[in-house]
Amino acid sequence: MKIVWRKSAITSLLELDRWRDSIELPPIAMFLRSTIELYFEKQDFSIYIPG
């Protein structure tokens, strides 16, 4: 599955990194992005089980 990121999602990740930088923490946006993409790449949305 191809992941299409909304501009607002990318902006939120960048804001998170700016905030983390302000309190002297390392950036985390690229890790979150790759983790989310990896999660959805493994999902099979062709099977739907109601309920």
Side-chain angles (χ1 to χ4, degrees):
M1 163 182 255
K2 182 180 182 334
I3 306 299
V4 179
W5 288 86
R6 290 185 179 184
K7 185 178 180 180
S8 62
I10 299 297
T11 302
S12 293
L13 287 174
L14 293 174
E15 287 175 7
L16 174 63
D17 272 353
R18 280 193 293 273
W19 172 76
R20 288 178 60 85
D21 187 46
S22 72
I23 58 173
E24 300 177 0
L25 290 174
I28 195 171
M30 291 304 293
F31 170 75
L32 290 175
R33 183 177 170 219
S34 63
T35 302
I36 291 167
E37 286 181 351
L38 184 63
Y39 172 80
F40 281 106
E41 284 175 1
K42 293 180 178 181
Q43 299 303 311
D44 183 8
F45 292 107
S46 64
I47 300 172
Y48 174 71
I49 301 172

